[in-house]
Amino acid sequence: MRRAAVPLGVLAGVVAAFAYVGTVDPNTPGHYPVCPLLRYSGIYCPGCGGLRSAHAFAHGDLGAALGLNALAVAGYVLFAVVWTVWLSRTLRGRAFTIRLHPAYWWAIGAVVLFFGVARNLPFGSALAP
């Protein structure tokens, strides 16, 4: 169990964050800061709706979570997969590293950029929170 201390500590932090967001409703004004990009320009950033998405996800409402920020939900799923692989490799005594070719990082950036732009255009209004 000593090997699993770091992955389990990370999981504890993530669970604590989701528990907090699940308890303190981001739909109620005054609990969390407003997105500065949305406040000053009226443009949704790729993260807009992320807290409300996490709140819905913590309450088991996957449909609402996807509707508020589908990219965040994809991130939750990706985190779960990577964390599971990390824990599995750690328990077997193997090193865990994430080595992505720069092209993958560029692709991730392109997806985030496309998501951020598309949710502000009429054809992507379904992606807006």
Side-chain angles (χ1 to χ4, degrees):
M1 285 312 285
R2 193 172 195 180
R3 291 183 202 171
V6 174
L8 292 175
V10 168
L11 181 64
V14 170
V15 167
F18 269 90
Y20 180 79
V21 172
T23 304
V24 181
D25 189 358
N27 296 303
T28 305
H31 293 292
Y32 299 99
V34 177
C35 173
L37 185 63
L38 181 60
R39 172 179 268 169
Y40 297 117
S41 70
I43 297 172
Y44 295 118
C45 74
C48 278
L51 280 173
R52 289 177 285 145
S53 173
H55 179 77
F57 192 82
H59 287 272
D61 191 353
L62 187 59
L66 282 167
L68 291 165
N69 193 321
L71 190 62
V73 175
Y76 309 152
V77 172
L78 180 63
F79 171 80
V81 169
V82 170
W83 183 86
T84 302
V85 170
W86 181 22
L87 180 65
S88 172
R89 290 185 63 84
T90 301
L91 289 175
R92 287 191 257 140
R94 294 176 153 181
F96 177 74
T97 58
I98 298 175
R99 289 186 216 119
L100 291 178
H101 189 274
Y104 287 110
W105 290 112
W106 283 102
I108 291 167
V111 166
V112 171
L113 180 65
F114 175 77
F115 181 77
V117 170
R119 68 192 324 207
N120 288 289
L121 298 174
F123 71 85
S125 62
L127 298 173

